[in-house]
Amino acid sequence: MDDAVDAYLGHVRLERGYSEHTVAAYASDLADLTRFAEARSVTGVDGVDLDLLRDWLWEATERGLARATVARRAASARGLCAWLERTGALPADPAARLRAPRAKRTLPRVVGAPAVAALLDGLQARAATGEPVPVRDLAVIELLYACGLRVSELVGLDIDDIDRGNRTVRVTGKGSKERVVPYGAPAAAALDRYLASGRPALLAAPSSDGGATARAGRAVFVGVRGGRLGVRSVHRLVAGLLEELPGSGPAGPHAFRHSAATHLLDGGADLRAVQEFLGHASLGTTQIYTHVSAERLKQTYRTAHPRA
């Protein structure tokens, strides 16, 4: 089992181009499956059958794991077993009929357009001092919102990915899929200012480590030590900005992605155009934002209509 799982993880990492976060989740799930199988004296993949997989998911449910976690574990098992069949390690796929409870789909946090504008105005005022970190932070938030980027896509941007003349960025998303996303005049102004003054100042800061600066040479967004800006730094920035704003849900960078998509649909954008904008493989994933727009319409109706 261990050898088969290791080989499969290598396959999804190197050949399928899955992110390290996804591979780590698969590794955790399949390590637990291996533990469960060994407790039932199953040490080889030939002993894995549908009943074993169902019992494993049932145990996870009994342990109180969230529906989303159980659903992800089922997906991990289906991926492993399908690969084992394709490579000839198993004569048939025992997980082909494996089902798991659907994860409860919650509406994402969306920041209203007026609140986003006020937040960006505040960042603009901070950046007016010319200090490199506020100048960078303004460019970070402008681009997150303007392009609906995932935080991993933002911090992974290199200088060559930006076409300042056409106001587009080339983004490498999930599964190493590339897309080109436009951005508007406010983001262009913030980005141009950052690249002209903020970024060179951060790279030249006395506290910069020589090795880190060399590694960040092509990175668009740079930290205070001269290295590529990290995901955690962006999370801290966004959490601080959204802390005082109304609305439920996680106060992370994804809130700006959700907000951008919802505002596009509210403005009349086509759903498939939003799908391409976000880099979703499935239109079904994008459709969550139609529910957000509908829910906001209902809330406005209940608040404003005299006979609601």
Side-chain angles (χ1 to χ4, degrees):
M1 282 284 289
D2 287 334
D3 290 342
V5 168
D6 287 345
Y8 174 65
L9 294 175
H11 163 72
V12 297
R13 178 186 291 110
L14 300 176
E15 297 181 36
R16 300 292 297 276
Y18 286 10
S19 70
E20 287 303 318
H21 178 78
T22 301
V23 173
Y26 275 36
S28 174
D29 294 340
L30 297 176
D32 192 78
L33 174 59
T34 300
R35 171 202 62 78
F36 183 85
E38 289 177 348
R40 284 153 179 73
S41 301
V42 175
T43 57
V45 294
D46 54 344
V48 176
D49 58 19
L50 182 59
D51 287 338
L52 177 79
L53 295 173
R54 283 173 171 169
D55 289 345
W56 174 54
L57 294 184
W58 175 254
E59 183 205 51
T61 302
E62 289 294 287
R63 283 161 51 193
L65 297 187
R67 288 162 60 112
T69 303
V70 177
R72 191 197 67 205
R73 288 190 169 196
S76 298
R78 284 195 293 267
L80 171 66
C81 292
W83 178 77
L84 289 172
E85 181 190 24
R86 286 197 305 272
T87 57
L90 288 177
D93 180 357
R97 293 188 292 118
L98 183 65
R99 297 292 179 266
R102 286 190 176 184
K104 184 179 179 181
R105 203 166 201 185
T106 56
L107 294 179
R109 178 174 185 172
V110 173
V111 182
V116 172
L119 185 150
L120 290 170
D121 286 345
L123 286 173
Q124 180 73 52
R126 293 186 208 173
T129 64
E131 292 294 322
V133 170
V135 168
R136 180 203 64 196
D137 291 348
L138 174 62
V140 163
I141 302 303
E142 283 280 12
L143 211 58
L144 271 177
Y145 177 62
C147 300
L149 301 181
R150 301 177 178 97
V151 63
S152 58
E153 295 170 347
L154 178 95
V155 299
L157 287 175
D158 288 333
I159 294 294
D160 294 341
D161 295 327
I162 299 178
D163 184 340
R164 294 163 71 181
N166 291 315
R167 291 183 185 168
T168 60
V169 292
R170 184 177 67 247
V171 178
T172 303
K174 290 185 176 181
S176 299
K177 294 179 180 177
E178 286 191 355
R179 68 185 189 279
V180 176
V181 187
Y183 59 88
L191 186 60
D192 288 348
R193 182 180 181 187
Y194 164 70
L195 292 175
S197 62
R199 185 176 181 274
L202 289 170
L203 287 173
S207 59
S208 288
D209 174 79
T213 301
R215 288 194 298 274
R218 295 174 60 243
V220 172
F221 292 109
V222 180
V224 292
R225 296 183 180 178
R228 185 183 291 271
L229 187 66
V231 168
R232 288 185 180 180
S233 296
V234 180
H235 270 276
R236 284 195 297 270
L237 168 62
V238 174
L241 293 172
L242 298 184
E243 189 176 28
E244 303 299 326
L245 292 181
S248 60
H254 236 58
F256 286 105
R257 179 171 164 88
H258 297 321
S259 302
T262 304
H263 298 164
L264 280 169
L265 288 171
D266 287 346
D270 177 76
L271 188 62
R272 288 200 177 274
V274 176
Q275 177 192 5
E276 185 176 349
F277 175 78
L278 296 174
H280 286 159
S282 166
L283 188 63
T285 306
T286 316
Q287 284 175 330
I288 184 66
Y289 298 109
T290 64
H291 301 314
V292 174
S293 295
E295 186 60 33
R296 290 177 63 191
L297 176 59
K298 289 178 185 176
Q299 185 174 351
T300 301
Y301 177 82
R302 287 192 294 265
T303 303
H305 197 286
R307 298 182 69 84

